[in-house]
Amino acid sequence: MCRMSEELPAYAERVLDAAERIPPGRVMTYGDVAEWLEEGGPRQVGRVMALYGGAVPWWRVVRSDGRPLPGSERRALEHYRTESTPLRETATGEQRLDMRRARWDGRDGGSGPGGRDEAHI
């Protein structure tokens, strides 16, 4: 990753670090990331991802309805297929994330920010 901490606000750095922790084939919602960080909310996470998310796997931080990011649907779907992220098809034929199967709860055997257990999501 090629970003310098001194160039980013501390909150943005924490959001991007959380995005990098999400395993391939899994996703977290904007709200999940805010809850995991115990700071901000979905809009703040979304703003960070919009401004700085290109340096991390942005496609793994998603809307809660499972729809790919507007304007980046094709690129996001390519990443999801490459990573075998669970998808589902709507009645209208639209591809969406299968949030029940793709959502990651933050547990990876390590500890989250501040050394606490990541399993609280």
Side-chain angles (χ1 to χ4, degrees):
M1 176 177 60
C2 299
R3 63 177 197 267
M4 300 179 71
S5 297
E6 51 273 11
E7 293 180 11
L8 292 176
Y11 183 70
E13 188 71 30
R14 293 179 69 210
V15 168
L16 298 178
D17 180 59
E20 287 183 318
R21 291 173 179 253
I22 303 168
R26 304 300 298 272
V27 298
M28 288 180 94
T29 67
Y30 298 112
D32 290 342
V33 171
E35 184 179 331
W36 190 79
L37 294 174
E38 295 181 345
E39 184 178 357
R43 288 180 188 223
Q44 289 81 10
V45 171
R47 181 72 175 151
V48 168
M49 294 303 294
L51 292 173
Y52 310 109
V56 298
W58 54 268
W59 58 92
R60 296 182 193 153
V61 182
V62 301
R63 299 162 41 146
S64 61
D65 64 5
R67 277 193 268 156
L69 185 66
S72 298
E73 296 93 345
R74 178 171 283 147
R75 288 185 9 210
L77 285 169
E78 288 173 11
H79 286 292
Y80 299 143
R81 289 182 182 115
T82 298
E83 296 183 355
S84 299
T85 307
L87 298 171
R88 65 178 180 85
E89 192 171 304
T90 66
T92 60
E94 181 183 12
Q95 289 288 302
R96 289 199 185 176
L97 290 160
D98 183 337
M99 293 301 290
R100 282 187 307 116
R101 294 177 32 226
R103 200 171 194 172
W104 186 57
D105 62 8
R107 286 183 265 185
D108 67 358
S111 59
R116 61 186 165 68
D117 180 14
E118 294 179 14
H120 73 282
I121 292 180

